[in-house]
Amino acid sequence: MKKDLLLAFDIGNTNIVIGVFRNKELVTNWRMETNKDRSADEYGMTLKQLFEFEKLKMESVEDIIISTVVPSLTYTMQHMASKYFGVKAIVVAAGIKTGLIVKYDNPKALGSDRIVNSVAAYEKHRCATIVIDFGTATTVDAVSACGEFLGGTIVPGIKISSNALFEKTAKLPKVDLQAPGQVICRNTIEGIQSGVVYGSMGMVEYIVKRMKEEIRAITGSDEPVRVIATGGLATLIASEIDCIDEIDKMLTLNGLSLIYEKNKTSKTARGNAGEE
């Protein structure tokens, strides 16, 4: 059987997004809840069912690449890759080839998802970019026109902010995240929605404005800066602000495919897949 599939894992604090690529093209993708207590076998059997549903063959997987911000799942997924696919997975970490020059005080402390997103954005546009990822945490990262990862900002995610009001106060309810249409609200639910959603919009506008100024100061260039958003709540936040140029929900998966192409012949990027 021809082995022509790449399996990519974007493991976040809340969800795991999985992509299947053939010839650098995304064939399908799935999303599941991140569960640190699940075993390699449980993840492997879930993937078996997903592959069967899509009429794909697990035997066709040539390689696997993993980006994770949940360290405890790294070994689990490496072991799953070895047992169910017969593959030593590539794990995105410090030292892997990305095509970016990382200007970060301690690259080992940098979340791999931030680098993966930045690679995808830069390779797509080849210009200075700002990448906003609306995940469990909201990250805003800057890449120069010559491919330097300059750094960025980390903000509590929108759901975290909303849940904190519910968990840390005696009377405020848990609410659905949606824009209520006004900031002068006459009930508590809409008041929370307004504060969380419109407050996030204002935060994004300010950080993007300031980040563009700092990119120009650092690089000495007045070239345009493209702003790309990804993550589950990107559409909600981008709906009423003008500073976001593009929404790309598959940005991280595409970044993983690009990084794989740069590292597929390298053995140094491979983790050790042992016994669980």
Side-chain angles (χ1 to χ4, degrees):
M1 180 173 291
K2 185 177 181 181
K3 290 183 175 288
D4 60 351
L5 298 180
L6 170 67
L7 189 57
F9 290 87
D10 169 28
I11 303 174
N13 288 293
T14 303
N15 291 303
I16 300 174
V17 182
I18 306 163
V20 180
F21 290 85
R22 177 183 284 121
N23 299 325
K24 304 179 186 179
E25 295 294 326
L26 186 63
V27 175
T28 189
N29 65 93
W30 308 296
R31 180 182 295 265
M32 67 175 71
E33 182 183 13
T34 302
N35 187 338
K36 293 180 284 188
D37 297 324
R38 295 185 79 187
S39 68
D41 289 325
E42 289 174 303
Y43 278 113
M45 293 308 296
T46 298
L47 283 164
K48 184 176 185 295
Q49 293 173 342
L50 291 171
F51 267 71
E52 289 174 353
F53 179 79
E54 293 287 349
K55 295 181 171 55
L56 296 170
K57 299 294 185 182
M58 294 176 71
E59 295 83 0
S60 298
V61 172
E62 178 183 10
D63 231 329
I64 293 174
I65 186 166
I66 299 168
S67 167
T68 178
V69 296
V70 186
S72 61
L73 279 178
T74 303
Y75 178 80
T76 300
M77 301 309 279
Q78 286 175 314
H79 180 48
M80 182 279 300
S82 176
K83 181 173 181 179
Y84 286 86
F85 295 93
V87 169
K88 267 192 174 179
I90 296 174
V91 179
V92 180
I96 201 168
K97 297 175 186 176
T98 64
L100 297 180
I101 302 167
V102 179
K103 301 281 190 177
Y104 209 69
D105 291 343
N106 180 9
K108 291 182 179 180
L110 180 60
S112 60
D113 55 333
R114 297 170 66 187
I115 284 293
V116 172
N117 286 338
S118 297
V119 168
Y122 181 72
E123 291 283 348
K124 185 176 183 179
H125 295 288
R126 288 286 171 173
C127 67
T129 58
I130 292 172
V131 184
I132 310 169
D133 188 350
F134 295 98
T136 306
T138 297
T139 57
V140 190
D141 291 311
V143 181
S144 73
C146 58
E148 298 169 313
F149 179 87
L150 301 174
T153 293
I154 303 171
V155 184
I158 301 167
K159 288 184 179 178
I160 286 179
S161 299
S162 177
N163 289 340
L165 286 174
F166 169 67
E167 293 169 1
K168 300 299 182 181
T169 60
K171 295 181 67 176
L172 295 181
K174 195 169 187 177
V175 303
D176 293 329
L177 288 175
Q178 60 186 48
Q182 64 277 331
V183 295
I184 300 177
C185 301
R186 292 186 174 87
N187 62 72
T188 302
I189 289 176
E190 288 187 352
I192 295 171
Q193 291 172 332
S194 174
V196 171
V197 174
Y198 295 135
S200 296
M201 291 177 182
M203 173 272 295
V204 168
E205 286 185 315
Y206 177 80
I207 290 179
V208 166
K209 176 178 177 292
R210 175 137 181 193
M211 195 169 279
K212 285 182 176 180
E213 294 170 354
E214 292 185 13
I215 290 172
R216 292 178 181 123
I218 292 169
T219 63
S221 171
D222 289 327
E223 291 184 25
V225 178
R226 188 160 185 84
V227 181
I228 303 169
T230 191
L233 293 170
T235 302
L236 173 64
I237 300 303
S239 63
E240 295 190 41
I241 57 178
D242 298 324
C243 64
I244 294 174
D245 299 309
E246 175 186 342
I247 296 172
D248 186 346
K249 294 292 185 68
M250 296 295 110
L251 188 71
T252 314
L253 290 181
N254 287 325
L256 283 168
S257 175
L258 289 166
I259 291 175
Y260 168 73
E261 292 298 322
K262 298 175 187 296
N263 291 273
K264 61 182 178 180
T265 60
S266 172
K267 299 300 182 183
T268 60
R270 308 279 169 156
N272 294 319
E275 296 299 323
E276 187 178 45

